[in-house]
Amino acid sequence: MKKRILTGITTTGIPHIGNYIGAIRPAIKLATETDESFFFLADYHSIIKNKNPSEIKSSVKNIALAWLCCGLDPEKTLFYKQSDVPEILELTWILNCVSSKGLMNRAHAYKAAISENELEPDKGINMGLFSYPILMAADILMFDSTHVPVGSDQIQHMEMTRDIAQRFNHLYKPILTVPESIIQDKEKVVPGIDGRKMSKSYNNVIPLLGTEKELKKSIMKIVTNSLEPGEPKDTDNCSVYELYKNFADENEVNEFKKSYEEGISWGEAKELLFSKINKELEPIRSSYNELVNNNDYINDVLSDGSKKARQIAEDKMSQIRDVIGITKIS
Ligand code: TRP
């Protein structure tokens, strides 16, 4: 059987180095090694939390740009916006009707949200948040994806997707492909400039699409300890070292480690880190500069992708409608 990978990217925030190391770079590499790949911008997922239309809009553009500039090849990978394939929402409803509420009650994101409320557990929780995993299941099951690359925070959503597919297949006919997960960030936490996990919500990110100057500035801000030049330094729990490992080969990492033992100064270590990251980001930055004002190009790529995706989705939907009895009177 052909391998078909599919993954969605929620369109919130601006892409950072953590996204690049943990999701973008490995997914693009995987796409080059796989028969078929579908990557899409999960814009309907993003309106669950964000009600600011201009932020949504600019995030969709920046994230599309990030993937294209990092080497996503739209000739090889179907690249589209979820909202351009409205059949996904149709499937979402159908899957709603085979998903048990109890299953959704157990979702980590929902449980975390209610645990913050004291008197009224569901205060401030919209139905989109509650049924988030069902929209995600529709994204995946619509296209008979065999493998789904995700971060480890999505493991439960993937189990729910499999559960929902099996339930549908059992109730009707086995026409939905039950997908496998590919966990991309196994045991890998990318530290931000304050040493905690790099995340928009901690305000500690190194931006992916910034200028060279901005890159240097955030690297120089990485928190280290107060050891002086000449004093040996430990690579354990060192953000500079952890980041360096993601951009260098084994020999270079060993050299870097040795320089720690020999007492490299934090300034020099950061300088080395900067030049490593910068070297990898240079081509990405130059294609960003080329494309950032070319909205037509981005729109064309996405509309091309959605045309192809829709064709597949329409065929799948007619099969699905048929097995559930939503069909011509006969
Ligand atoms: N929930 C995913 C995340 O936050 C994004 C997503 C939406 C997704 N639909 C998907 C990932 C389908 C994989 C497949 O990372």
Side-chain angles (χ1 to χ4, degrees), residues 231-250:
E231 290 185 87
K233 296 174 177 66
D234 202 346
T235 51
D236 287 350
N237 302 318
C238 173
S239 308
V240 177
Y241 180 75
E242 282 306 315
L243 285 164
Y244 192 85
K245 276 203 310 203
N246 285 294
F247 292 90
D249 65 29
E250 209 183 317

PDB file of all heavy atoms in Angstrom, residues 231-250:
ATOM      1  N   GLU A 231      36.744  29.696  32.405  1.00  0.00           N
ATOM      2  CA  GLU A 231      36.231  28.684  33.338  1.00  0.00           C
ATOM      3  C   GLU A 231      35.516  27.592  32.543  1.00  0.00           C
ATOM      4  O   GLU A 231      34.726  27.897  31.644  1.00  0.00           O
ATOM      5  CB  GLU A 231      35.236  29.314  34.320  1.00  0.00           C
ATOM      6  CG  GLU A 231      35.878  30.244  35.333  1.00  0.00           C
ATOM      7  CD  GLU A 231      34.857  30.729  36.357  1.00  0.00           C
ATOM      8  OE1 GLU A 231      34.667  30.022  37.372  1.00  0.00           O
ATOM      9  OE2 GLU A 231      34.243  31.784  36.145  1.00  0.00           O
ATOM     10  N   PRO A 232      35.790  26.306  32.865  1.00  0.00           N
ATOM     11  CA  PRO A 232      35.105  25.220  32.152  1.00  0.00           C
ATOM     12  C   PRO A 232      33.594  25.298  32.368  1.00  0.00           C
ATOM     13  O   PRO A 232      33.137  25.681  33.446  1.00  0.00           O
ATOM     14  CB  PRO A 232      35.666  23.950  32.804  1.00  0.00           C
ATOM     15  CG  PRO A 232      36.730  24.359  33.734  1.00  0.00           C
ATOM     16  CD  PRO A 232      36.705  25.830  33.905  1.00  0.00           C
ATOM     17  N   LYS A 233      32.842  24.948  31.308  1.00  0.00           N
ATOM     18  CA  LYS A 233      31.377  25.051  31.392  1.00  0.00           C
ATOM     19  C   LYS A 233      30.730  23.709  31.090  1.00  0.00           C
ATOM     20  O   LYS A 233      31.286  22.880  30.375  1.00  0.00           O
ATOM     21  CB  LYS A 233      30.901  26.124  30.411  1.00  0.00           C
ATOM     22  CG  LYS A 233      31.448  27.484  30.802  1.00  0.00           C
ATOM     23  CD  LYS A 233      31.141  28.569  29.818  1.00  0.00           C
ATOM     24  CE  LYS A 233      31.671  29.890  30.338  1.00  0.00           C
ATOM     25  NZ  LYS A 233      33.176  29.898  30.402  1.00  0.00           N
ATOM     26  N   ASP A 234      29.541  23.549  31.637  1.00  0.00           N
ATOM     27  CA  ASP A 234      28.814  22.292  31.506  1.00  0.00           C
ATOM     28  C   ASP A 234      27.833  22.390  30.336  1.00  0.00           C
ATOM     29  O   ASP A 234      27.142  23.395  30.202  1.00  0.00           O
ATOM     30  CB  ASP A 234      28.046  22.069  32.824  1.00  0.00           C
ATOM     31  CG  ASP A 234      27.713  20.612  33.018  1.00  0.00           C
ATOM     32  OD1 ASP A 234      27.838  19.849  32.040  1.00  0.00           O
ATOM     33  OD2 ASP A 234      27.330  20.255  34.153  1.00  0.00           O
ATOM     34  N   THR A 235      27.797  21.330  29.508  1.00  0.00           N
ATOM     35  CA  THR A 235      26.830  21.360  28.401  1.00  0.00           C
ATOM     36  C   THR A 235      25.443  20.899  28.846  1.00  0.00           C
ATOM     37  O   THR A 235      24.465  21.142  28.148  1.00  0.00           O
ATOM     38  CB  THR A 235      27.306  20.456  27.238  1.00  0.00           C
ATOM     39  OG1 THR A 235      27.618  19.168  27.771  1.00  0.00           O
ATOM     40  CG2 THR A 235      28.515  21.030  26.548  1.00  0.00           C
ATOM     41  N   ASP A 236      25.367  20.233  30.015  1.00  0.00           N
ATOM     42  CA  ASP A 236      24.044  19.790  30.495  1.00  0.00           C
ATOM     43  C   ASP A 236      23.173  20.997  30.789  1.00  0.00           C
ATOM     44  O   ASP A 236      23.624  21.962  31.403  1.00  0.00           O
ATOM     45  CB  ASP A 236      24.188  18.980  31.797  1.00  0.00           C
ATOM     46  CG  ASP A 236      24.781  17.604  31.515  1.00  0.00           C
ATOM     47  OD1 ASP A 236      24.877  17.238  30.318  1.00  0.00           O
ATOM     48  OD2 ASP A 236      25.156  16.923  32.493  1.00  0.00           O
ATOM     49  N   ASN A 237      21.920  20.908  30.373  1.00  0.00           N
ATOM     50  CA  ASN A 237      20.947  21.982  30.615  1.00  0.00           C
ATOM     51  C   ASN A 237      21.402  23.341  30.096  1.00  0.00           C
ATOM     52  O   ASN A 237      21.035  24.370  30.653  1.00  0.00           O
ATOM     53  CB  ASN A 237      20.646  22.139  32.112  1.00  0.00           C
ATOM     54  CG  ASN A 237      20.111  20.859  32.699  1.00  0.00           C
ATOM     55  OD1 ASN A 237      19.286  20.184  32.069  1.00  0.00           O
ATOM     56  ND2 ASN A 237      20.605  20.483  33.866  1.00  0.00           N
ATOM     57  N   CYS A 238      22.227  23.338  29.062  1.00  0.00           N
ATOM     58  CA  CYS A 238      22.666  24.617  28.501  1.00  0.00           C
ATOM     59  C   CYS A 238      21.893  24.869  27.195  1.00  0.00           C
ATOM     60  O   CYS A 238      22.014  24.102  26.239  1.00  0.00           O
ATOM     61  CB  CYS A 238      24.170  24.582  28.229  1.00  0.00           C
ATOM     62  SG  CYS A 238      24.723  26.051  27.345  1.00  0.00           S
ATOM     63  N   SER A 239      21.126  25.946  27.174  1.00  0.00           N
ATOM     64  CA  SER A 239      20.285  26.230  25.990  1.00  0.00           C
ATOM     65  C   SER A 239      21.122  26.467  24.738  1.00  0.00           C
ATOM     66  O   SER A 239      20.736  26.053  23.640  1.00  0.00           O
ATOM     67  CB  SER A 239      19.421  27.468  26.224  1.00  0.00           C
ATOM     68  OG  SER A 239      18.720  27.366  27.416  1.00  0.00           O
ATOM     69  N   VAL A 240      22.270  27.143  24.908  1.00  0.00           N
ATOM     70  CA  VAL A 240      23.120  27.431  23.743  1.00  0.00           C
ATOM     71  C   VAL A 240      23.560  26.108  23.108  1.00  0.00           C
ATOM     72  O   VAL A 240      23.460  25.914  21.895  1.00  0.00           O
ATOM     73  CB  VAL A 240      24.353  28.268  24.161  1.00  0.00           C
ATOM     74  CG1 VAL A 240      25.285  28.513  22.977  1.00  0.00           C
ATOM     75  CG2 VAL A 240      23.910  29.602  24.764  1.00  0.00           C
ATOM     76  N   TYR A 241      23.993  25.197  23.967  1.00  0.00           N
ATOM     77  CA  TYR A 241      24.440  23.887  23.481  1.00  0.00           C
ATOM     78  C   TYR A 241      23.293  23.093  22.864  1.00  0.00           C
ATOM     79  O   TYR A 241      23.424  22.508  21.786  1.00  0.00           O
ATOM     80  CB  TYR A 241      25.072  23.118  24.653  1.00  0.00           C
ATOM     81  CG  TYR A 241      25.580  21.748  24.291  1.00  0.00           C
ATOM     82  CD1 TYR A 241      26.755  21.592  23.572  1.00  0.00           C
ATOM     83  CD2 TYR A 241      24.873  20.605  24.671  1.00  0.00           C
ATOM     84  CE1 TYR A 241      27.224  20.329  23.228  1.00  0.00           C
ATOM     85  CE2 TYR A 241      25.325  19.336  24.332  1.00  0.00           C
ATOM     86  CZ  TYR A 241      26.503  19.207  23.607  1.00  0.00           C
ATOM     87  OH  TYR A 241      26.958  17.965  23.278  1.00  0.00           O
ATOM     88  N   GLU A 242      22.144  23.091  23.539  1.00  0.00           N
ATOM     89  CA  GLU A 242      20.983  22.344  23.038  1.00  0.00           C
ATOM     90  C   GLU A 242      20.575  22.842  21.654  1.00  0.00           C
ATOM     91  O   GLU A 242      20.252  22.053  20.771  1.00  0.00           O
ATOM     92  CB  GLU A 242      19.785  22.493  23.990  1.00  0.00           C
ATOM     93  CG  GLU A 242      19.859  21.628  25.238  1.00  0.00           C
ATOM     94  CD  GLU A 242      20.083  20.146  24.933  1.00  0.00           C
ATOM     95  OE1 GLU A 242      19.412  19.626  24.021  1.00  0.00           O
ATOM     96  OE2 GLU A 242      20.959  19.541  25.576  1.00  0.00           O
ATOM     97  N   LEU A 243      20.595  24.150  21.481  1.00  0.00           N
ATOM     98  CA  LEU A 243      20.213  24.704  20.170  1.00  0.00           C
ATOM     99  C   LEU A 243      21.267  24.345  19.127  1.00  0.00           C
ATOM    100  O   LEU A 243      20.942  23.962  18.010  1.00  0.00           O
ATOM    101  CB  LEU A 243      20.035  26.224  20.272  1.00  0.00           C
ATOM    102  CG  LEU A 243      18.737  26.663  20.974  1.00  0.00           C
ATOM    103  CD1 LEU A 243      18.800  28.132  21.382  1.00  0.00           C
ATOM    104  CD2 LEU A 243      17.525  26.417  20.079  1.00  0.00           C
ATOM    105  N   TYR A 244      22.530  24.468  19.520  1.00  0.00           N
ATOM    106  CA  TYR A 244      23.635  24.172  18.596  1.00  0.00           C
ATOM    107  C   TYR A 244      23.511  22.755  18.031  1.00  0.00           C
ATOM    108  O   TYR A 244      23.694  22.522  16.832  1.00  0.00           O
ATOM    109  CB  TYR A 244      24.976  24.339  19.329  1.00  0.00           C
ATOM    110  CG  TYR A 244      26.184  24.341  18.423  1.00  0.00           C
ATOM    111  CD1 TYR A 244      26.620  25.513  17.799  1.00  0.00           C
ATOM    112  CD2 TYR A 244      26.907  23.165  18.193  1.00  0.00           C
ATOM    113  CE1 TYR A 244      27.732  25.513  16.965  1.00  0.00           C
ATOM    114  CE2 TYR A 244      28.014  23.157  17.349  1.00  0.00           C
ATOM    115  CZ  TYR A 244      28.421  24.342  16.745  1.00  0.00           C
ATOM    116  OH  TYR A 244      29.517  24.331  15.907  1.00  0.00           O
ATOM    117  N   LYS A 245      23.166  21.821  18.904  1.00  0.00           N
ATOM    118  CA  LYS A 245      23.032  20.412  18.493  1.00  0.00           C
ATOM    119  C   LYS A 245      22.060  20.220  17.332  1.00  0.00           C
ATOM    120  O   LYS A 245      22.175  19.274  16.566  1.00  0.00           O
ATOM    121  CB  LYS A 245      22.520  19.573  19.684  1.00  0.00           C
ATOM    122  CG  LYS A 245      23.609  19.132  20.623  1.00  0.00           C
ATOM    123  CD  LYS A 245      23.238  17.886  21.435  1.00  0.00           C
ATOM    124  CE  LYS A 245      21.895  17.984  22.124  1.00  0.00           C
ATOM    125  NZ  LYS A 245      21.735  17.106  23.276  1.00  0.00           N
ATOM    126  N   ASN A 246      21.082  21.113  17.244  1.00  0.00           N
ATOM    127  CA  ASN A 246      20.077  20.979  16.187  1.00  0.00           C
ATOM    128  C   ASN A 246      20.524  21.513  14.835  1.00  0.00           C
ATOM    129  O   ASN A 246      19.792  21.407  13.856  1.00  0.00           O
ATOM    130  CB  ASN A 246      18.791  21.685  16.599  1.00  0.00           C
ATOM    131  CG  ASN A 246      18.039  20.891  17.638  1.00  0.00           C
ATOM    132  OD1 ASN A 246      17.552  19.810  17.360  1.00  0.00           O
ATOM    133  ND2 ASN A 246      17.986  21.421  18.855  1.00  0.00           N
ATOM    134  N   PHE A 247      21.702  22.120  14.805  1.00  0.00           N
ATOM    135  CA  PHE A 247      22.151  22.706  13.545  1.00  0.00           C
ATOM    136  C   PHE A 247      23.526  22.225  13.105  1.00  0.00           C
ATOM    137  O   PHE A 247      24.027  22.651  12.073  1.00  0.00           O
ATOM    138  CB  PHE A 247      22.142  24.242  13.648  1.00  0.00           C
ATOM    139  CG  PHE A 247      20.751  24.814  13.753  1.00  0.00           C
ATOM    140  CD1 PHE A 247      20.148  25.005  14.984  1.00  0.00           C
ATOM    141  CD2 PHE A 247      20.034  25.130  12.599  1.00  0.00           C
ATOM    142  CE1 PHE A 247      18.855  25.510  15.075  1.00  0.00           C
ATOM    143  CE2 PHE A 247      18.754  25.634  12.678  1.00  0.00           C
ATOM    144  CZ  PHE A 247      18.158  25.821  13.916  1.00  0.00           C
ATOM    145  N   ALA A 248      24.137  21.383  13.914  1.00  0.00           N
ATOM    146  CA  ALA A 248      25.512  20.989  13.602  1.00  0.00           C
ATOM    147  C   ALA A 248      25.611  19.474  13.442  1.00  0.00           C
ATOM    148  O   ALA A 248      24.753  18.740  13.938  1.00  0.00           O
ATOM    149  CB  ALA A 248      26.427  21.448  14.735  1.00  0.00           C
ATOM    150  N   ASP A 249      26.657  19.013  12.747  1.00  0.00           N
ATOM    151  CA  ASP A 249      26.851  17.563  12.649  1.00  0.00           C
ATOM    152  C   ASP A 249      27.614  17.065  13.880  1.00  0.00           C
ATOM    153  O   ASP A 249      28.031  17.852  14.731  1.00  0.00           O
ATOM    154  CB  ASP A 249      27.520  17.171  11.328  1.00  0.00           C
ATOM    155  CG  ASP A 249      28.941  17.696  11.209  1.00  0.00           C
ATOM    156  OD1 ASP A 249      29.604  17.871  12.258  1.00  0.00           O
ATOM    157  OD2 ASP A 249      29.400  17.945  10.074  1.00  0.00           O
ATOM    158  N   GLU A 250      27.796  15.745  13.928  1.00  0.00           N
ATOM    159  CA  GLU A 250      28.350  15.141  15.126  1.00  0.00           C
ATOM    160  C   GLU A 250      29.734  15.686  15.483  1.00  0.00           C
ATOM    161  O   GLU A 250      30.012  16.005  16.649  1.00  0.00           O
ATOM    162  CB  GLU A 250      28.414  13.631  14.915  1.00  0.00           C
ATOM    163  CG  GLU A 250      28.282  12.848  16.192  1.00  0.00           C
ATOM    164  CD  GLU A 250      28.427  11.353  15.911  1.00  0.00           C
ATOM    165  OE1 GLU A 250      27.847  10.884  14.903  1.00  0.00           O
ATOM    166  OE2 GLU A 250      29.135  10.679  16.683  1.00  0.00           O
TER     167      GLU A 250
END
